């Protein structure tokens, strides 16, 4: 019988009819079965005897069905994984985890530290997943038998996870050097060392060279390194690096030249880096990863991430997360801002595929329908609509879920002058044949240092939502939105930002300007852009148009709002007290 189907009602009725008619016949009354009402045709002097026959039949049917269910359960148990466990292992489990014992959700039922040799012997020759996580302080001798048994069975390793976080410092560096692991597909090594253990570092895992075999597919290293020139790593699909092991970008880029099959590259916590030499990117120095789909550079120094982005050629990457941690100088005091500008000049240039990827405009990112670009003090953030779903750096770091997220773009660049990067991005936008819709959020203070205004024209074709904070830039936006210009996409003149449907201008406390002139400028914009006067077609009606300001900036706000809403129904003031 196929899954999900039940026995037809007709067959059940036939079985009941057979039992009913047999019970009646045994008691000398030939009554045909035609439903539960058939009992009305049984003679009165035969009712009790027939009832006894029914109860007997019901009891025997239940007994037979129960026996069938027992046999079926037995067959299912024979096919379940636990049935294959050796009796010795089952005994250990039942002894260690007795009924009534409170077991935390993260408890490993197969924590066989004291029975490693037995477990390995009885499971031979099956491939094994090994998690070696000493958490308690103690003598290395206590782990010697476990390590020896594991090393003897290393040819069966399929997954190997080694983690030490302030626990026993195991001499695994030497053990792993010559380890024979022909079946190994996934290796994760976490080597956190706390300050008071620095004298013991020679005993910790610092560098790994595994023997040749089937190419490793997944490598995840924290505070340690590997010899990446090994043929054993030539087929690597996933590489995750955390900590001090790959501080210099030249080391990383040299490593990546061996990893042509790489699909996932995640790097975390490169916060203390002083470059041995600054590498200005160009076409000849780029490393191509033709199969890379997911790139994460999180909690890394800004000049480090800039160099990596500038030197990588990843034509099919559609899942990108970059989070810088320092905007201007390394912790060693070396100025790096000028070098970042050189790299930014290379990345954010028209025609550069890398820039198209970061803006979700490349062919490999078809699912990115819109981008949010926020500029605030020393930070410029770019996020796709896909990135609005919860998937922050902390979750990625903890879960290690390397499933691709098509169209995911989440960038946070720290720059001393983010407006320079914004201008470069705008220059790229002007040359893109297609680009996701743009939501732009600008803090006016970003432009004050260079006394440079914010221009809407480069964003005009793609802008759908605009937020500007700061009185000076709000006034500039009002003036620009009242203008028209030639749109190459339609071959004629139209309003600037013709697709703009959400506007929020936050004046804040103002800057001592003339309150009357602000009201005049706002009303002039509304009348020109949306009144259909002067023979011009009105612009697209915004879904939302909000002015945030103190009450002193627009003293006639109530009457002004009423007049504006006659032309733009979505308009409203959001006032704060002086």
């Amino acid at each position: 019988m196929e899954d999900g189907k039940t026995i037809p009602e007709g067959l059940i009725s036939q079985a009941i009819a057979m039992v009913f008619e047999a019970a009646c016949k045994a008691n000398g009354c030939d009554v045909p079965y035609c439903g539960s009402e058939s009992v009305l045709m049984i003679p009165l002097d035969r009712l009790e005897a027939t009832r006894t026959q029914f109860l007997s039949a019901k009891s025997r049917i239940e007994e037979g069905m129960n026996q069938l269910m027992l046999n079926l359960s037995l067959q299912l148990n024979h096919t379940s994984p636990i049935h294959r466990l050796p009796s010795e292992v089952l005994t250990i489990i039942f002894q260690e985890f007795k009924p009534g014992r409170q077991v935390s959700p993260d408890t490993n039922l197969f924590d066989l530290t004291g029975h490693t040799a037995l477990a390995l012997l009885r499971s031979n020759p099956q491939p094994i997943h090994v998690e070696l996580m000493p958490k308690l302080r103690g003598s290395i001798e206590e782990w010697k038998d476990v390590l020896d048994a594991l090393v003897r069975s290393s040819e069966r390793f399929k997954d190997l996870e080694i983690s030490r976080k302030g626990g026993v410092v195991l001499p695994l560096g030497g053990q792993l050097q010559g380890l024979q692991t022909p079946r190994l597909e996934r290796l994760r090594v976490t080597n956190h060392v706390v300050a008071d253990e620095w004298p013991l570092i020679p005993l910790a895992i610092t560098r790994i060279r595994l023997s040749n075999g089937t190419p490793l597919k997944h490598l995840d290293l924290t505070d340690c390194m590997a010899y990446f020139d090994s043929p054993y790593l030539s087929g690597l699909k996933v590489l995750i690096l955390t900590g001090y092991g790959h501080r210099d970008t030249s080391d990383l880029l040299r490593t990546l030249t061996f990893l042509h099959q790489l699909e996932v590259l995640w790097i975390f916590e490169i916060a203390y880096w002083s470059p041995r030499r600054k590498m200005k990117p160009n076409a000849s120095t780029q490393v191509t990863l033709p199969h890379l789909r997911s790139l994460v550079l999180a909690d890394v120094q800004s000049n480090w991430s800039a160099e990596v982005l500038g030197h990588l050629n990843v034509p099919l990457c559609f899942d990108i997360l970059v989070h810088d941690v320092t905007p201007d100088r390394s912790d060693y005091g070396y100025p790096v801002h000028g070098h970042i500008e050189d790299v930014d000049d290379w990345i954010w240039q028209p025609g550069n595929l890398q820039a198209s990827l970061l803006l979700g405009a490349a062919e490999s990112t078809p699912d990115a329908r819109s981008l949010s670009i926020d500029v605030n003090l020393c930070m410029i953030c770019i996020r796709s609509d896909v990135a609005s779903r919860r998937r922050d750096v902390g979750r990625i770091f903890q879960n290690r879920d390397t499933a691709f997220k098509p169209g995911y773009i989440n960038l946070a660049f720290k720059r001393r002058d983010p407006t320079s990067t914004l201008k470069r991005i705008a220059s790229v936008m002007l040359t893109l044949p297609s680009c996701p819709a743009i939501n732009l959020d600008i803090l006016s203070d970003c432009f004050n240092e260079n006394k440079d205004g914010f221009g809407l024209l480069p964003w005009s074709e793609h802008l759908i939502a605009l937020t500007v904070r700061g009185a000076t830039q709000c006034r500039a936006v009002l003036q620009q939105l009242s203008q028209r210009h030639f749109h190459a996409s339609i071959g004629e003149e139209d309003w600037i930002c013709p697709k703009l449907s959400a506007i929020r201008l936050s004046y804040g406390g103002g800057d001592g300007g003339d309150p009357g002139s602000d009201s005049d400028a706002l009303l002039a914009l509304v009348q020109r852009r949306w009144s259909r006067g002067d023979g011009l077609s009105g612009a697209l009606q915004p879904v939302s148009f909000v002015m945030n300001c103190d009450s002193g900036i627009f003293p006639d706000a109530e009457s002004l709002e009423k007049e504006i809403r006659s032309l733009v129904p979505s308009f409203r003031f959001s006032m704060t007290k002086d």
Side-chain angles (χ1 to χ4, degrees), residues 158-176:
K158 184 175 182 180
D159 292 316
L160 175 59
E161 186 168 345
I162 305 170
S163 176
R164 64 164 305 274
K165 299 180 180 180
V168 179
V169 184
L170 301 176
L172 294 174
Q175 295 276 24
L176 289 175

Side-chain angles (χ1 to χ4, degrees), residues 132-247:
L132 190 58
M133 301 180 181
K135 297 180 180 180
L136 301 176
R137 294 184 177 276
S139 170
I140 294 177
E141 293 299 321
E142 298 175 16
W143 285 85
K144 185 177 185 301
D145 293 341
V146 174
L147 292 176
D148 290 344
L150 287 173
V151 168
R152 288 195 298 270
S153 300
S154 62
E155 72 282 354
R156 295 166 52 197
F157 291 176
K158 184 175 182 180
D159 292 316
L160 175 59
E161 186 168 345
I162 305 170
S163 176
R164 64 164 305 274
K165 299 180 180 180
V168 179
V169 184
L170 301 176
L172 294 174
Q175 295 276 24
L176 289 175
Q177 292 292 345
L179 207 59
Q180 299 299 313
T181 53
R183 294 188 184 184
L184 191 63
E185 296 181 358
R186 178 181 176 273
L187 173 63
R188 180 180 180 184
V189 180
T190 302
N191 185 44
H192 290 309
V193 180
V194 297
D196 61 355
E197 292 177 342
W198 281 106
L200 299 178
I201 279 186
L203 297 178
I205 312 158
T206 55
R207 187 176 288 269
I208 299 169
R209 184 193 296 277
L210 297 175
S211 65
N212 292 339
T214 303
L216 196 68
K217 296 180 180 178
H218 185 123
L219 181 61
D220 185 342
L221 301 178
T222 297
D223 290 345
C224 59
M225 297 178 64
Y227 293 93
F228 286 95
D229 56 346
S230 168
Y232 192 66
L233 300 178
S234 61
L236 203 62
K237 302 286 187 181
V238 177
L239 177 60
I240 303 176
L241 302 173
T242 305
Y244 69 80
H246 288 77
R247 285 190 183 177

Side-chain angles (χ1 to χ4, degrees), residues 292-311:
L292 197 73
R293 300 293 188 272
S294 180
L295 174 64
V296 172
L297 305 174
D299 295 334
V300 298
Q301 199 176 35
S302 52
N303 54 333
W304 197 95
S305 66
E307 274 207 1
V308 172
L309 287 174
H311 286 86

